[in-house]
Amino acid sequence: MAEFNETDQTPTVDPKTPNLGDSTTSSQPKPEQITTIDVAVPIPDVGPQLQVVVEEFILKSGSDDEEVRTAATNELRDFIEHEEIGITTLLVVVKYAHEVKNVDLLDAFCERVADLIKDKKVVEVREIFGIVNDFTPGEEQALRYEHPWAFED
Amino acid sequence: MEEEAIIRKWEDLDIDVLVKIYQKIDIFDLTSGVAEICKTWHHAACDPMLWHTLDLSVMSSNYIRTPLEPYVYVDGPSDEKLTKILKISLNLSRGSIKTLIFNINLYVHDEQLTYTAERCPNLKRLVLPAWNRIKKTGICKAIKMWKDLESLTMPSIETPLYFMEEVSKNCKNFSELKIMGPCDIFLVNTLIRCVPNLKVLSLRCSVVYLDALILILDGLKKLNVLNISHCIIVDAPPPDATIKVVTKLDDSVLEKGSRLSEFLTCMDDECIMCQRTRADEGLLRWYRYEQGLWKQDEVKSLAV
């Protein structure tokens, strides 16, 4: 699977990035900001657009206002639905969300992964995710013996 | 490219994350090959978190009603489909299943039931509303394997004694019962004899005889919750008197009922469920109404 990472190698000058900078320099979250400790962990290269979306989401998801959080989730889901996120990038952002323990962020992207799995055959899923089958022929045979229907076309 | 060194593969994804993803796919997708992708994905598919509850109320049998017992005929492919899903689910679940739910029109047969019982020995709650194709031997064999069973939803059966005796012998923690069908004095006597420690009983949307109701309130000493919502209460005095439908429970019954922590009744002409129970003469034809209606219960622990 030739999926080239769609990262922009040059650093971006992004008006929102200063927030990231702020929280990495201070160890205590400032009370007047809605910065969460999460943003202290830098987001890996996921492309400038997605980076902005994720950063914004993390900030808003830390809000005390439920409406703000709900709106943020809806915005994120909208973005995920309408923008093509490459499979490699998806892996990066899923791992990141897990690492920073942002439940809502992880949830939104796991939903996307689930959508990619639904109604697909084994070989199709392997192709989409670039997964190598590491079952030995013997092991596969055992699985097949138990439920041959999984391999029906 | 540098990125390739940093890029980790989907095979190496944390099990927790994979489980989270699997929680978002339905049982059909979960059993149609996700576990065959690679070893880590297989490992994640066996995670107990995914298998506390196996809810097959999303499956129906492809069936026709027949005039003779068992009153339904289920076609071959439909049976095979259920067998497949059961085999894979029970394989992946590795004994984690605590709650098992079958649909009202999913007509399980003996072999499927026994196969299932053997592979979920830790079952605590069973919802099995359709016993048409299940024989006495089949259900007794299954019950023997469910020592931890606490809660059961079942149809009403003609001679409940043989079955409740097995429950009594095998299921020491049995405390919650929902019967989807008529309740008479014989049934209640059976319950008092076999499951005297019953805490929760739901008989909603059926015919309940008044003498049976009184006996429930007097005889099931450990009962906390009784649901007779939308039931047709029938007073059947000695043979020469006519059968009367009770429209209002009298004070003595209400007084007994007040000793329970929850005594749920609904006998309201305006209530749609009461109307339907009457229209169907006490044996609700669930297939006529909204899908999933049968799952409701005023008792939270019995709702599906």
Side-chain angles (χ1 to χ4, degrees), chain A residues 75-147:
Chain A
E75 267 175 49
L76 180 64
R77 285 181 193 271
D78 247 352
F79 178 87
I80 296 172
E81 221 180 284
H82 296 110
E83 298 296 324
E84 276 243 27
I85 303 171
I87 201 76
T88 342
T89 310
L90 192 55
L91 178 59
V92 170
V93 75
V94 163
K95 289 177 92 81
Y96 173 77
H98 180 62
E99 198 185 334
V100 299
K101 299 186 182 17
N102 190 314
V103 172
D104 298 317
L105 184 66
L106 182 59
D107 206 67
F109 284 101
C110 283
E111 195 75 60
R112 173 75 189 132
V113 179
D115 284 341
L116 292 173
I117 297 176
K118 285 175 190 168
D119 297 323
K120 303 272 189 339
K121 299 196 182 67
V122 176
V123 286
E124 287 172 334
V125 176
R126 283 196 192 124
E127 213 179 290
I128 291 169
F129 292 90
I131 292 174
V132 173
N133 179 8
D134 57 356
F135 286 114
T136 66
E139 286 162 343
E140 247 190 347
Q141 192 63 18
L143 287 173
R144 240 172 247 249
Y145 177 74
E146 290 204 29
H147 20 101

Side-chain angles (χ1 to χ4, degrees), chain B residues 94-131:
Chain B
R94 297 181 178 173
S96 307
I97 297 175
K98 295 263 167 47
T99 298
L100 180 54
I101 302 167
F102 290 98
N103 203 355
I104 187 120
N105 52 11
L106 188 58
Y107 295 101
V108 182
H109 60 64
D110 273 351
E111 267 174 40
Q112 288 166 332
L113 185 65
T114 319
Y115 184 90
T116 302
E118 281 165 358
R119 288 158 185 80
C120 38
N122 302 310
L123 196 71
K124 288 198 165 159
R125 182 179 175 201
L126 175 66
V127 176
L128 186 61
W131 286 24

Side-chain angles (χ1 to χ4, degrees), chain B residues 21-135:
Chain B
I21 294 168
Y22 290 167
Q23 284 172 323
K24 297 177 184 306
I25 60 178
D26 65 24
I27 188 73
F28 303 111
D29 282 315
L30 194 53
T31 53
S32 68
V34 137
E36 328 282 340
I37 303 286
C38 67
K39 289 184 178 172
T40 42
W41 283 47
H42 183 275
H43 182 64
C46 299
D47 195 290
M49 271 203 70
L50 297 168
W51 299 107
H52 288 147
T53 299
L54 177 56
D55 186 351
L56 297 177
S57 66
V58 292
M59 277 191 82
S60 304
S61 296
N62 199 15
Y63 70 97
I64 351 170
R65 295 183 195 288
T66 57
L68 297 172
E69 280 199 8
Y71 306 111
V72 285
Y73 171 78
V74 177
D75 78 12
S78 178
D79 259 341
E80 277 163 29
K81 185 173 173 196
L82 176 59
T83 300
K84 165 192 166 179
I85 303 250
L86 283 173
K87 280 194 170 180
I88 301 178
S89 302
L90 295 166
N91 195 339
L92 294 173
S93 61
R94 297 181 178 173
S96 307
I97 297 175
K98 295 263 167 47
T99 298
L100 180 54
I101 302 167
F102 290 98
N103 203 355
I104 187 120
N105 52 11
L106 188 58
Y107 295 101
V108 182
H109 60 64
D110 273 351
E111 267 174 40
Q112 288 166 332
L113 185 65
T114 319
Y115 184 90
T116 302
E118 281 165 358
R119 288 158 185 80
C120 38
N122 302 310
L123 196 71
K124 288 198 165 159
R125 182 179 175 201
L126 175 66
V127 176
L128 186 61
W131 286 24
N132 297 53
R133 299 165 82 208
I134 294 172
K135 302 197 175 46

Side-chain angles (χ1 to χ4, degrees), chain B residues 225-241:
Chain B
V225 177
L226 176 62
N227 185 8
I228 54 167
S229 302
H230 327 297
C231 285
I232 303 175
I233 314 290
V234 171
D235 189 358
D240 49 355

Side-chain angles (χ1 to χ4, degrees), chain B residues 128-168:
Chain B
L128 186 61
W131 286 24
N132 297 53
R133 299 165 82 208
I134 294 172
K135 302 197 175 46
K136 289 184 181 182
T137 44
I139 192 72
C140 289
K141 203 169 165 189
I143 275 288
K144 286 189 171 95
M145 295 190 261
W146 285 323
K147 304 241 176 275
D148 289 342
L149 195 69
E150 293 173 11
S151 172
L152 174 65
T153 296
M154 60 182 276
S156 72
I157 53 178
E158 246 181 71
T159 52
L161 184 60
Y162 77 91
F163 173 67
M164 294 312 301
E165 274 179 343
E166 288 303 332
V167 171
S168 169

